[in-house]
């Protein structure tokens, strides 16, 4: 049974990955966020990698859709977009 805590943990994983990307974007070429369920641990995982690593049917999201600009024009994680993705992966019973 899923809980709010499960959703928050996935949000945190996504947030950390996007924040890492913001701090080091040159490490990637055409970056995407990949979400998947680790079937051994039954934990939802998030990782950012190059798009060419994945097939079309893989669950990937363009990283740029998870970034917004703050009032000073600096890039930051779009917490609303992160929440939307986490909530689309984990459903409360």
């Amino acid at each position: 049974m899923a809980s709010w805590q499960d959703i928050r943990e996935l949000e945190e994983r996504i947030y950390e990955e996007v924040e890492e990307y913001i701090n080091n974007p040159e490490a990637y070429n055409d970056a995407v966020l990949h979400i998947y369920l680790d079937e051994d641990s039954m934990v939802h995982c998030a990782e950012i990698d190059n798009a060419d690593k994945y097939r079309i049917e893989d669950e990937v999201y363009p990283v740029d859709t998870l970034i917004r600009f703050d009032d000073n024009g600096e890039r930051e994680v779009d917490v609303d977009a992160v929440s939307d993705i986490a909530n689309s992966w984990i459903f409360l019973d």
Side-chain angles (χ1 to χ4, degrees), residues 34-90:
H34 179 220
I35 305 289
Y36 61 97
L37 178 64
D38 182 318
E39 293 181 9
D40 293 332
S41 66
M42 295 306 291
V43 171
H44 286 87
C45 300
E47 62 184 21
I48 291 182
D49 211 332
N50 296 321
D52 60 1
K53 181 177 178 181
Y54 300 100
R55 301 177 315 250
I56 292 172
E57 62 269 11
D58 288 335
E59 296 294 335
V60 296
Y61 304 87
V63 175
D64 290 339
T65 63
L66 302 170
I67 298 171
R68 66 179 173 203
F69 291 92
D70 67 12
D71 294 337
N72 297 321
E74 298 292 321
R75 294 164 32 129
E76 67 180 8
V77 179
D78 185 336
V79 294
D80 294 328
V82 166
S83 181
D84 288 346
I85 289 174
N87 280 284
S88 72
W89 272 86
I90 301 175

Side-chain angles (χ1 to χ4, degrees), residues 5-15 35-36 44-46 82 85-87 89-90:
Q5 182 178 354
D6 296 324
I7 294 172
R8 297 294 172 246
E9 287 173 358
L10 180 55
E11 286 176 341
E12 186 174 316
R13 287 183 198 105
I14 296 169
Y15 186 96
I35 305 289
Y36 61 97
H44 286 87
C45 300
V82 166
I85 289 174
N87 280 284
W89 272 86
I90 301 175

